[in-house]
Amino acid sequence: MKVAFILLACLLAWGQAAWGHAALIRADPAPGAVLERAPDAAVLTFNEPVSVTALRLFGPEGQPADVAPSRAGGSRIRVPLPAGAPQGPYLLSWRVVSADGHPVGGTLDYSVGVPGGSAMTAGAAAAPGAREAAIWLGRWLGYACLFACVGAALFSARDPSDRQGWARPLVWTGLALLPLNLGLQGLDLLDLPGAALLGWAPWSTALASRYAWTLGLSALALLASAGALRARKSWVARGCAGAGLALAGAALAASGHAGTAPPQWLSRPLVVLHVVTAAAWLGALVPLTRLLKPGPAGWAGQPLLAWFSRWIAPAVILLLASGTGLTLLQLDQPGDLWRTSYGIVLSVKLALVCGLLAIAAFNRWRCTGPALAGDRAARGRLRRSIGVEAAVALVLLGVVSLWRFTPPPRSLDAVVEAHARSAGSRLASFELSNGRARARVMPSGGAWLIELRDAVSGKPLEAQGLTLALSNPQAGIEPLRRAARRQQDGRWRVDMGSLPLSGAGRWQLSIDILVDDFEQTTLEGMLSP
């Protein structure tokens, strides 16, 4: 176990490059540009090849125009624009799928001639989307079913007389979740409502993504595990169990942040190793609790418990080593553990893993020996402790499922800051606040000036950075982000002119405030026309 703690300490002491979501690194026209005449085309350049899933061009009147890329993939996307476009503000909302299989969206804004707009005021904060909650729940349940079935297959292969019948319903549940997760992926890639599942577009888009490989391999892993549970010959059961374990590792390596981090010759094998060892450990918890059910002192489960105790320690060491390697590929610096959404999820995962290690150490060195010696009280303690371990593992899988929505820090760093523009604006001043900070937003000729104060004391709040983001989900407009610049008077300036679509949906506003190296807070609200 000393090796495990050394590996965890290395994680906090060292960080390297991180990769994951694609990022827009250049755009033509430049973000916020004011042009004398309408451009013939817009060019979006990303830091890696992408596939376009949605494009919408909104003009001064707020009506979307049909646009399509000259080719659907590559790192440089050229979008021909309609000829004879009238003067005013324009938004080109784009949504692409990156190499890791996750959708990425954004908006390019530019103006032809003198941009126009409408006055807006601040309103209540927006609620999280039901689609994102469904994606998270589907993945959480899918991971739980996959790991449990793989673990049950391993125990059934070791002792074919115990068919682990409890796991069979989970096989069918896991298989039933796969098409649901496929449809949700298609909705997310195209940014469509749930009713669109009745059409073919989200399904065909999801089938063309890398995530389809993950779901297909997961289906094979579940079927292989089912074969191990039903096999009568030990060699068949062991072959199916081994195949299910390997396929589970390959499934999660086929898409996602970690598997696409360069160098992929290292990252993908690390993902496979990490998932295989995690599934072997966490998936074994339910069979172990069944194995330790109350009974006579010389119960038949002693050989299986001894077998598990022999291989679990090396498996956990490999799990921690592979996890450490993957983390070093994703983090930019140690501070990202508490400054980014990805790092916060990782920090919670690490805390839960430390809890699992503590429980496992107690089980291994305080309970297993006496239980193998026939101590029924020790067996009862071990069974209860493993039950707690299984509950923590279930929470851990739920936390890991949140990574679907959090790009790694290096991907965030690749997003370019938009160019400033000078444009008229008729936005009314408004305030946003939470328990930590209060921001007063004041339009000032083509720019928004933001004054920050402490929410409790009311004194000026000194911050290290500020980013503003606007989106309009009802109109199908992806987030438009601006990094602010601090002025000599202490206020923050965001160059953001007027926006079209005065009558189409409501604009959602968020202000991310980096208070210091250890704290970040977000203010959210809605803008009403």
Side-chain angles (χ1 to χ4, degrees):
M1 300 306 294
K2 292 181 179 179
V3 176
F5 290 111
I6 292 173
L7 291 172
L8 290 175
C10 291
L11 168 64
L12 300 177
W14 185 33
Q16 290 199 14
W19 302 82
H21 284 288
L24 182 69
I25 59 174
R26 187 168 57 257
D28 183 20
V34 179
L35 310 174
E36 294 183 0
R37 61 184 182 86
D40 297 328
V43 179
L44 307 175
T45 304
F46 296 86
N47 65 330
E48 63 178 65
V50 298
S51 297
V52 177
T53 61
L55 279 173
R56 300 180 183 93
L57 177 66
F58 298 87
E61 301 300 324
Q63 297 299 320
D66 292 332
V67 292
S70 54
R71 60 172 181 162
S75 59
R76 185 176 182 271
I77 305 299
R78 186 179 188 275
V79 184
L81 300 176
Q87 291 190 346
Y90 287 83
L91 297 177
L92 177 62
S93 177
W94 50 266
R95 196 170 183 83
V96 300
V97 58
S98 55
D100 62 4
H102 292 162
V104 182
T107 293
L108 169 65
D109 65 320
Y110 65 93
S111 294
V112 178
V114 179
S118 62
M120 294 183 285
T121 56
R131 184 180 66 202
E132 286 74 15
I135 290 173
W136 168 78
L137 182 60
R139 297 205 174 199
W140 183 17
L141 295 177
Y143 291 156
C145 290
L146 180 62
F147 280 34
C149 293
V150 167
L154 290 175
F155 270 72
S156 180
R158 183 67 182 181
D159 181 13
S161 63
D162 186 356
R163 299 296 185 84
Q164 303 288 334
W166 63 271
R168 293 179 185 175
L170 294 183
V171 172
W172 300 112
T173 301
L175 290 172
L177 286 170
L178 297 179
L180 173 63
N181 286 332
L182 181 68
L184 290 172
Q185 176 76 357
L187 293 180
D188 200 35
L189 290 174
L190 297 176
D191 195 19
L192 296 175
L197 286 175
L198 299 176
W200 175 242
W203 300 100
S204 61
T205 301
L207 285 171
S209 69
R210 294 188 63 89
Y211 187 59
W213 283 91
T214 292
L215 297 180
L217 291 170
S218 296
L220 294 177
L222 289 169
L223 293 174
S225 299
L229 298 177
R230 296 182 64 88
R232 297 184 179 275
K233 296 183 178 180
S234 59
W235 67 270
V236 175
R238 291 178 182 179
C240 289
L245 189 61
L247 286 167
L252 272 67
S255 66
H257 304 300
T260 57
Q264 291 192 16
W265 61 264
L266 175 62
S267 62
R268 290 196 186 277
L270 283 178
V271 173
V272 173
L273 179 61
H274 194 64
V275 173
V276 165
T277 51
W281 177 17
L282 305 184
L285 297 178
V286 175
L288 282 174
T289 58
R290 294 179 67 255
L291 185 70
L292 296 166
K293 60 186 177 182
W299 98 108
Q302 288 173 318
L304 281 177
L305 179 60
W307 165 74
F308 176 81
S309 299
R310 285 194 298 270
W311 63 259
I312 188 58
V316 170
I317 291 175
L318 289 175
L319 172 72
L320 294 173
S322 57
T324 300
L326 290 171
T327 300
L328 296 176
L329 291 176
Q330 296 296 337
L331 288 183
D332 185 32
Q333 53 187 333
D336 289 330
L337 282 170
W338 56 85
R339 283 199 299 258
T340 67
S341 298
Y342 183 94
I344 292 172
V345 173
L346 176 59
S347 298
V348 175
K349 178 193 173 184
L350 288 175
L352 292 171
V353 168
C354 289
L356 286 174
L357 289 173
I359 297 172
F362 173 79
N363 295 341
R364 180 66 178 82
W365 286 298
R366 295 296 298 273
C367 299
T368 300
L372 289 173
D375 188 334
R376 283 184 290 179
R379 192 198 316 169
R381 288 194 302 271
L382 181 58
R383 187 172 191 266
R384 291 190 295 271
S385 180
I386 292 177
V388 174
E389 190 177 357
V392 176
L394 189 62
V395 175
L396 174 63
L397 293 177
V399 171
V400 169
S401 301
L402 292 172
W403 266 332
R404 169 62 179 77
F405 311 103
T406 56
R410 177 65 73 178
S411 294
L412 295 174
D413 293 341
V415 180
V416 297
E417 295 186 3
H419 295 276
R421 75 173 178 181
S422 175
S425 177
R426 298 197 298 274
L427 289 173
S429 299
F430 56 89
E431 286 193 0
L432 296 174
S433 64
N434 60 15
R436 179 65 179 90
R438 185 172 73 248
R440 180 171 179 79
V441 183
M442 299 161 285
S444 177
W448 292 8
L449 299 179
I450 302 175
E451 183 181 273
L452 297 179
R453 292 189 176 275
D454 188 282
V456 178
S457 66
K459 296 180 179 179
L461 178 64
E462 299 293 333
Q464 293 186 2
L466 185 149
T467 302
L468 182 145
L470 286 167
S471 63
N472 194 326
Q474 291 177 319
I477 300 177
E478 300 289 340
L480 188 160
R481 294 181 176 86
R482 286 286 190 274
R485 304 192 308 274
R486 185 165 183 169
Q487 308 296 294
Q488 292 184 351
D489 59 5
R491 295 183 297 180
W492 293 83
R493 176 186 174 98
V494 180
D495 293 290
M496 180 83 71
S498 299
L499 302 169
L501 297 173
S502 60
R506 301 178 67 189
W507 288 87
Q508 296 181 6
L509 169 69
S510 68
I511 300 176
D512 294 327
I513 304 168
L514 180 61
V515 180
D516 53 40
D517 288 340
F518 302 94
E519 182 182 4
Q520 179 172 308
T521 187
T522 299
L523 307 179
E524 295 180 314
M526 297 191 72
L527 301 177
S528 305

